Amino acid sequence: FKSYSYDLVSFLLLRRDPMTRGVIEGVLAHEPKGSNGFGYDPIFYLPERGCTTGELEPEEKNRISHRGIALRKMVEKLK
C-alpha cells in the first residue's frame, strides 16, 4: 500500500500567517523492522532507501522526515 506522511507547520504572526508542508512518501511494510523512532516508523518503508524509517539513524531520519522538511521551510519563510 502506498503511504504518505505529512506535516503542516503554521506560525502566527501579526498580519502574517505562513504555513509550510513537508511530505515523505513510502509504503506500508509487510512486517515491522527497526527500533529507532516511534509510532509507525517500523512499518513505514522507504523503497528508494530499502529500509523503514525505524531502521534509519536519528540524524538521517530527521534530515528526510516530513517534520524536518516542514520546519526547514518555515525557518526560510520567517527570515
Side-chain angles (χ1 to χ4, degrees):
F1 296 97
K2 194 169 188 178
S3 172
Y4 300 91
S5 187
Y6 69 93
D7 202 24
L8 295 175
V9 175
S10 181
F11 190 81
L12 299 175
L13 297 171
L14 200 58
R15 298 184 187 249
R16 259 176 70 187
D17 185 14
M19 188 178 296
T20 59
R21 179 178 178 211
V23 178
I24 184 171
E25 295 184 29
V27 296
L28 296 178
H30 295 286
E31 60 186 50
K33 289 187 180 176
S35 58
N36 293 332
F38 60 94
Y40 57 79
D41 287 332
I43 61 165
F44 195 78
Y45 183 75
L46 305 170
E48 71 279 359
R49 294 181 180 277
C51 66
T52 67
T53 51
E55 295 174 284
L56 293 174
E57 291 299 320
E59 297 80 19
E60 178 67 6
K61 183 186 170 230
N62 291 336
R63 191 179 69 73
I64 67 164
S65 78
H66 57 293
R67 287 183 192 95
I69 293 167
L71 288 172
R72 283 189 296 279
K73 287 179 181 178
M74 180 60 71
V75 167
E76 287 303 310
K77 247 186 182 184
L78 294 175
K79 285 185 177 179

